[in-house]
Amino acid sequence: QIHLQQSGPGLVKPSQTLSLTCAISGDSVSGNSVAWHWIRQSPSRGLEWLGRTYYRSKWYNEYGVSVRSRIIINADSSKDWFSLQLNSVTPEDTAVYYCAREMGSKVALWGQGTLVTVSS
Amino acid sequence: EIVMTQSPDSVAVSLGERATINCKSSQSVLHSSNSKNFLAWFQHKPGQPPKLLIYWASTRESGVPDRFSGSGSGTDFTLTISSLQAEDVAVYYCQQYYSTPYTFGQGTKLEIK
């Protein structure tokens, strides 16, 4: 059974970097038919796709328009996890952040969610 | 990017009645290579991660009750709940995965009348 376990701080100060990790059990982050996503949800913006990473002989990253200049998604094949880094956060980045797994074009498996509040 | 627009923003339906949510994409999400619409529907309840209900616009995910159905093609899509149950109260989102960046609609809040 495949499971995604998120970890990371729930409070980040403005202008600092938000960092979250998603640990994968039961699957490989470098699998040739899967992709790994970060998505967030806030009352003001609803669900917002942040980006994804996937391995097809090499690593590919794709990012959402609103965060493209501030986001990095990395993966670690040796430990089967992937991470989200969002730089220069503001209170507008306050949201519940989710990691998720895509296979066969279905984003059907999600992490438990992490509420991240941006506040001094 | 493809812009997804849902209607209505919120809707109240009586138990046992039909609920309909619409989704429109700013460009077609029908892929010519496989004749599939790259459109999914998610249900989101407070405190839970979103749940995939429908993919390829009309294919029900395993375990999803058959009162949920998806239809449409190209740029216009519909999620229908044939007989509303109390546990269906949630926010519903459409999402296109035709091209990155993947994009969601703004969400439709479904309540009991």
Side-chain angles (χ1 to χ4, degrees):
Chain A
Q1 189 176 355
I2 302 167
H3 183 71
L4 304 179
Q5 182 66 41
Q6 298 178 218
S7 59
L11 180 63
V12 182
K13 288 182 165 50
S15 80
Q16 296 194 342
T17 297
L18 180 161
S19 296
L20 296 174
T21 298
C22 185
I24 303 160
S25 55
D27 199 357
S28 171
V29 73
S30 55
N32 269 316
S33 56
V34 291
W36 307 96
H37 296 245
W38 286 100
I39 294 158
R40 68 183 178 183
Q41 190 275 333
S42 64
S44 59
R45 301 165 79 124
L47 287 176
E48 181 180 10
W49 185 80
L50 299 177
R52 69 173 180 172
T53 188
Y54 57 95
Y55 185 79
R56 303 288 186 268
S57 302
K58 69 174 186 176
W59 286 100
Y60 293 86
N61 293 307
E62 294 165 321
Y63 298 130
V65 170
S66 67
V67 295
R68 192 163 289 162
S69 63
R70 302 189 289 132
I71 189 173
I72 298 173
I73 296 177
N74 279 322
D76 186 326
S77 300
S78 65
K79 297 180 181 177
D80 279 322
W81 57 254
F82 64 108
S83 65
L84 168 70
Q85 251 185 257
L86 189 63
N87 301 317
S88 304
V89 297
T90 72
E92 286 201 349
D93 295 309
T94 294
V96 178
Y97 287 75
Y98 295 98
C99 61
R101 174 184 181 266
E102 174 190 2
M103 180 163 184
S105 296
K106 295 195 307 179
V107 181
L109 182 68
W110 296 63
Q112 79 275 22
T114 302
L115 173 61
V116 179
T117 301
V118 178
S119 174
S120 54
Chain B
E1 74 177 29
I2 298 176
V3 177
M4 308 299 290
T5 304
Q6 292 180 226
S7 62
D9 289 335
S10 65
V11 63
V13 176
S14 301
L15 289 172
E17 296 298 306
R18 178 185 299 260
T20 301
I21 298 170
N22 301 301
C23 175
K24 190 174 186 67
S25 57
S26 61
Q27 64 188 74
S28 176
V29 298
L30 174 62
H31 210 291
S32 57
S33 66
N34 57 8
S35 298
K36 289 182 182 288
N37 287 282
F38 284 57
L39 189 285
W41 289 97
F42 291 88
Q43 176 191 65
H44 194 200
K45 297 181 179 179
Q48 300 180 20
K51 177 185 177 182
L52 176 66
L53 298 176
I54 303 284
Y55 59 99
W56 300 134
S58 61
T59 302
R60 202 178 301 116
E61 172 69 343
S62 175
V64 172
D66 61 7
R67 64 180 181 274
F68 291 91
S69 63
S71 63
S73 185
T75 61
D76 291 279
F77 301 91
T78 300
L79 175 70
T80 301
I81 308 172
S82 60
S83 176
L84 189 71
Q85 306 299 304
E87 61 264 32
D88 300 334
V89 169
V91 179
Y92 292 83
Y93 294 90
C94 60
Q95 183 211 31
Q96 66 81 19
Y97 49 98
Y98 180 89
S99 64
T100 54
Y102 290 0
T103 43
F104 290 92
Q106 80 276 18
T108 295
K109 186 175 184 180
L110 176 59
E111 298 173 308
I112 305 293
K113 185 187 289 183

